[in-house]
């Protein structure tokens, strides 16, 4: 592109404003004090920010501290000037009360950084669950050229001859073994530790790999980026290519609003569903779309996602892990299968400047392991996407149908007189503390025809919405071989869980949703034929019931602010009103001096 057709660099407002040398000098001089030169800052080179999510607090993303040099090399070779900066740490397995609380906080911080500093483009470094949506949301708000570099999954876990120990998923099965008395606490810890053999995020198709696969299918990453294991040499090579590409994107003014479109959202939704992606993906994609100004509702996941077949044989819905997914062809192989059925819209532009189908030509003779990534007409499961349910307990909730096991289907969905439906007795818990305290109380008389219900776990009630809906049955049932019961709640569950829980109930109990009226002993009907869940309570009695909502006090200023401003999971759990700010980079900025 000729110089006269290149967009004017945003950074020149700070570093090269000939009409105001006094202000320029104030901005410029301090950026020289660690070795940058006038030539770098005033010779028309784009200033590229690198949003570094790696730190000792975020082990899933920590290796970005080393990958920085490869990203910077790519930026320099592309003709840009790299400037690295930190982002708010979010580690799913470390943050209490829940990492979900900080997704919007990290979003706010990154918006202010991208808006207020001399950056022409940005590399978003993502990995652990909430780092991906928070950074894409911020880039969409400011609308600065942006590209996602995911950190990649850990290598396959190994334990006593089993080479498919999956992060997160092993925790749920180890809990069952512990409850059944098959292992002791030391054995539990050994199993858990075996699932994390290297740098990287979850090696299952949990929320981390699902969200980074979604980012690639959305068009925000280079082809093949999502699934490269963190320790592989290709991860460093992808870091270099990503750094180099963002410079070209700045020159082309290829901004998020040109990538994150309605067509791109549906592409991402379909690919995520075919991958058996995490139930946390819907609220995150809803949040991304809202900040990008793109039409997208929870109903889209039922309309476009539920019909998708399950093609990826990865835990928790399948058998393999992230390393196998990458070696089998990764996200590009899934896109190829869907494209062959006319289910990919090639009009959606990606960070390459081309569509998803056009990008497939970069690998014209791909190798695909058909045991890991199935052909479209030979799936692991038909109609395996997300089902959006409704009823008198909530306006909407999700069920991840790809993890409905044969045992669960046989026990609850195979009655010939009531196929794909069941009626069970509710046992209600006021948050996870109440659940852990009372689940083994024999007085509860929880049996096979019971549903475990947890409330007070949504964005307001927890606060932040906790991953607690996947609840283990009482130990006595686990010892008898009943390792799962139907579960329902207004919180979330880990993307590494294989439970077909009814999740993300909106509105939540804390703000008066129908779940707040449910009582232990009520009969609940779940009907997948009509996508409905209802408490079978006399309407007059139901109407007269007072809602119950346990909401603990806020412990920090942010918790209080978050509670006062957050929307519900079915709406993306964003900060109310924040989505009115779009393309903020175009706004005139006041000087700081």
């Amino acid at each position: 592109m000729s110089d006269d057709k290149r967009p004017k660099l945003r950074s020149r407002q700070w570093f090269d404003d000939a009409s105001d040398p006094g202000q320029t000098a104030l901005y410029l001089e301090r950026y020289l004090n660690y070795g940058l030169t006038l030539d770098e800052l005033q010779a028309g080179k784009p200033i590229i920010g690198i949003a570094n999510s790696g730190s000792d607090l975020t082990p899933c993303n920590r290796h970005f501290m080393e990958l920085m040099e490869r990203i910077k090399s790519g930026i320099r070779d592309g003709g840009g000037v790299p400037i690295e900066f930190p982002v708010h740490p979010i580690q799913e397995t470390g943050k209490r009360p829940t990492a979900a609380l900080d997704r919007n906080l990290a979003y706010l911080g990154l918006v202010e950084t991208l808006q207020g500093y001399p950056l022409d483009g940005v590399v978003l470094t993502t990995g652990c669950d909430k780092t991906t949506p928070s950074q894409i949301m911020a880039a969409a708000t400011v609308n600065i050229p942006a590209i996602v570099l995911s950190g990649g999954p850990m290598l396959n876990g190994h334990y006593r001859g089993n080479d498919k120990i999956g992060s997160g998923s092993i925790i749920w099965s180890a809990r069952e073994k512990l409850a059944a008395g098959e292992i002791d606490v030391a054995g539990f810890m050994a199993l858990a530790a075996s699932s994390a053999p290297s740098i990287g995020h979850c090696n299952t198709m949990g929320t981390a790999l699902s969200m980074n696969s979604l980012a690639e299918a959305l068009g925000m990453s280079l082809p093949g980026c999502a699934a490269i294991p963190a320790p592989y040499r290709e991860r460093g090579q992808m870091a270099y290519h990503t750094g180099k590409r963002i410079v070209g994107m700045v020159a082309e003014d290829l901004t998020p609003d040109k990538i994150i479109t309605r067509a791109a959202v549906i592409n991402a939704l379909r690919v995520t569903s075919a991958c058996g992606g995490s139930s946390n993906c819907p609220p995150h994609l809803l949040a991304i779309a809202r900040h990008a100004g793109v039409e997208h509702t929870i109903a889209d996941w039922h309309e476009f996602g539920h019909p998708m077949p399950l093609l990826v044989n990865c835990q928790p819905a399948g058998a393999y892990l992230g390393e196998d997914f990458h070696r089998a062809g990764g996200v590009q192989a899934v896109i190829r299968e869907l494209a062959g059925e006319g289910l990919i819209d090639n009009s959606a532009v990606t960070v390459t400047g081309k569509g998803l189908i056009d990008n497939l030509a970069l690998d014209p003779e791909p190798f695909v392991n058909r045991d890991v990534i199935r052909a479209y007409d030979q799936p692991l499961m038909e109609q395996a996407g997300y089902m959006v349910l409704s009823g008198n307990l909530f306006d909407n909730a999700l069920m991840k149908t790809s993890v409905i096991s044969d045992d669960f289907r046989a026990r609850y969905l195979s009655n010939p007189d009531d196929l794909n439906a069941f009626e069970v007795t509710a046992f209600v818990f006021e948050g996870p503390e109440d659940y852990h305290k009372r689940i083994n109380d024999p007085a509860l008389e929880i049996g096979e025809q019971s549903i475990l219900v947890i409330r007070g776990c949504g964005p307001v009630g927890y606060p932040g919405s906790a991953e607690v809906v996947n609840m283990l049955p009482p130990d006595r049932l686990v010892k008898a071989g009943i390792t799962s019961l139907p579960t329902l709640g207004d919180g979330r569950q880990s993307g590494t869980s294989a439970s077909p829980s009814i999740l993300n109930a909106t509105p939540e109990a804390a703000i008066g949703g129908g779940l707040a009226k449910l009582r232990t002993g009520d009969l609940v009907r779940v009907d997948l034929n009509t996508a409905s869940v209802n408490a079978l309570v006399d309407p007059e009695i139901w109407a007269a019931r007072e809602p119950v909502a346990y909401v603990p006090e806020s412990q920090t200023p942010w918790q209080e602010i978050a509670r006062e401003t957050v929307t519900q999971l079915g709406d993306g759990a964003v900060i109310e009103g924040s989505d009115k700010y779009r393309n903020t980079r175009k706004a005139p900025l006041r000087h700081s001096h």
Side-chain angles (χ1 to χ4, degrees):
M1 184 181 296
S2 62
D3 289 343
D4 59 338
K5 292 184 179 180
R6 292 178 184 272
K8 184 177 180 181
L9 294 176
R10 199 169 166 266
S11 59
R12 292 185 64 185
Q13 298 175 42
W14 281 260
F15 295 147
D16 195 18
D17 185 357
S19 67
D20 197 341
Q23 294 289 350
T24 295
L26 284 168
Y27 295 127
L28 186 69
E29 55 92 11
R30 208 52 57 94
Y31 284 94
L32 302 176
N33 79 353
Y34 63 93
L36 287 176
T37 65
L38 283 172
D39 180 65
E40 288 174 289
L41 299 180
Q42 291 192 320
K45 297 179 180 180
I47 309 299
I48 306 296
I50 311 173
N52 189 354
S53 61
S55 72
D56 290 346
L57 274 179
T58 54
C60 291
N61 291 29
R62 189 182 184 280
H63 55 296
F64 279 119
M65 296 164 70
E66 283 73 46
L67 285 173
M68 282 298 121
E69 289 309 312
R70 297 304 299 141
I71 302 171
K72 290 176 181 178
S73 293
I75 292 170
R76 292 189 188 100
D77 286 354
V81 179
I83 292 186
E84 174 190 348
F85 60 89
V87 293
H88 183 83
I90 311 179
Q91 175 60 35
E92 189 67 37
T93 58
K95 168 69 180 186
R96 297 168 73 174
T98 170
L101 180 67
D102 281 9
R103 187 201 68 181
N104 290 341
L105 182 59
Y107 155 77
L108 287 175
L110 186 53
V111 165
E112 292 303 315
T113 301
L114 299 181
Q115 174 73 3
Y117 283 91
L119 302 174
D120 300 302
V122 64
V123 175
L124 308 173
T125 63
T126 71
C128 190
D129 300 15
K130 313 303 179 294
T131 60
T132 307
S134 65
Q135 293 189 35
I136 299 177
M137 288 158 59
T141 293
V142 182
N143 205 31
I144 188 174
I147 189 170
V148 168
L149 174 68
S150 56
M154 296 181 286
L155 300 178
N156 288 3
H158 300 264
Y159 186 77
R160 295 184 176 179
N162 185 348
D163 63 351
K164 295 292 185 287
I165 301 295
S167 51
S169 294
I170 193 61
I171 300 294
W172 318 124
S173 60
R175 282 179 177 174
E176 294 172 8
K177 292 178 183 294
L178 184 67
E182 297 174 15
I183 58 174
D184 57 14
V185 172
F188 187 106
M189 298 304 162
L191 267 173
S194 70
S195 70
S198 74
I199 58 172
H201 60 63
C202 282
N203 53 21
T204 50
M205 189 59 74
T207 307
L209 184 52
S210 298
M211 277 306 302
N212 289 299
S213 297
L214 184 153
E216 183 176 329
L218 189 64
M220 288 296 292
S221 290
L222 288 176
C225 178
I228 302 168
Y232 277 27
R233 66 183 182 187
E234 290 90 344
R235 180 52 66 190
Q237 293 166 349
M238 182 59 73
Y240 173 83
H241 292 307
T242 299
K244 195 169 184 179
R245 176 57 193 148
I246 187 60
V247 181
M249 291 176 66
V250 171
E252 298 159 19
D253 199 30
L254 183 50
T255 47
D257 65 336
K258 297 168 185 172
I259 297 172
I260 306 173
T261 61
R262 170 75 175 172
V265 165
I266 301 304
N267 284 341
L269 183 160
R270 283 174 166 155
V271 171
T272 303
S273 300
C275 286
S278 165
S279 56
N280 289 311
C281 292
H284 290 327
L285 187 57
L286 285 164
I288 290 168
R290 284 190 65 166
H291 288 294
V294 173
E295 178 189 353
H296 176 42
T297 69
I298 192 67
D300 289 332
W301 286 90
H302 193 96
E303 179 180 353
F304 300 104
H306 182 56
M308 289 296 100
L310 177 61
L311 301 184
V312 177
N313 188 11
C314 274
Q315 298 180 25
Y320 291 92
L321 296 173
E323 191 174 1
D324 308 301
F325 179 51
H326 166 66
R327 292 165 70 97
V331 174
Q332 294 301 295
V334 178
I335 291 172
R336 191 177 295 275
E337 288 302 314
L338 298 188
E341 302 297 319
L343 295 170
I344 294 295
D345 189 335
N346 195 50
S347 70
V349 175
T350 73
V351 293
T352 67
K354 301 176 181 179
L356 290 178
I357 297 175
D358 296 330
N359 288 339
L360 295 175
L362 299 173
D363 189 13
E365 296 181 2
F367 166 78
V368 179
N369 182 333
R370 286 302 181 197
D371 196 31
V372 181
I373 301 176
R374 299 291 183 88
Y376 186 87
D377 58 358
Q378 296 180 324
L380 280 83
M381 184 187 296
E382 299 281 358
Q383 291 189 315
Y386 307 85
M387 184 171 282
V388 179
L389 307 165
S390 61
N392 63 3
L393 292 171
F394 43 75
D395 293 342
N396 59 75
L398 287 175
M399 175 184 273
K400 181 179 173 180
T401 60
S402 65
V403 291
I404 296 177
S405 65
D406 292 341
D407 177 67
F408 189 94
R409 188 173 296 279
R411 283 195 286 128
Y412 298 108
L413 300 171
S414 298
N415 181 351
D417 297 325
D418 197 12
L419 202 62
N420 293 319
F422 57 91
E423 295 179 6
V424 281
T425 301
F427 289 84
V428 182
F429 300 96
E430 308 296 341
E433 296 84 3
D434 184 39
Y435 160 75
H436 289 297
K437 180 180 179 180
R438 296 195 297 126
I439 185 61
N440 286 311
D441 183 350
L444 285 180
E445 298 184 351
I446 297 170
E448 187 174 354
Q449 296 304 311
S450 303
I451 185 168
L452 304 180
V453 181
I454 193 166
R455 63 190 176 199
C457 302
V460 174
Y462 203 70
S465 72
E467 294 188 334
V468 295
V469 180
N470 176 22
M471 295 169 281
L472 197 66
D475 291 354
R476 58 183 172 78
L477 291 184
V478 174
K479 290 176 181 177
I482 301 172
T483 58
S484 67
L485 291 174
T487 55
L488 162 64
D490 54 10
R492 302 172 299 111
Q493 76 180 28
S494 170
T496 64
S497 170
S499 171
S501 303
I502 299 167
L503 308 153
N504 303 4
T506 297
E508 63 182 295
I511 63 169
L515 211 58
K517 291 189 173 187
L518 193 67
R519 302 290 186 265
T520 292
D522 287 344
L523 201 62
V524 173
R525 177 173 175 80
V526 177
D527 190 338
L528 301 189
N529 302 297
T530 58
S532 63
V533 180
N534 288 285
L536 302 182
V537 178
D538 181 273
E540 290 186 7
I541 295 175
W542 187 257
R545 274 189 185 171
E546 288 294 322
V548 173
Y550 167 67
V551 181
E553 291 185 2
S554 296
Q555 299 168 319
T556 65
W558 170 241
Q559 288 185 18
E560 183 174 348
I561 293 168
R563 278 182 157 138
E564 291 175 349
T565 60
V566 72
T567 66
Q568 292 290 284
L569 286 168
D571 299 313
V574 301
I575 298 170
E576 186 69 56
S578 61
D579 54 339
K580 72 182 180 183
Y581 294 94
R582 295 182 188 137
N583 205 19
T584 62
R585 69 169 182 151
K586 295 292 187 181
L589 293 173
R590 301 179 73 179
H591 285 298
S592 60
H593 293 82

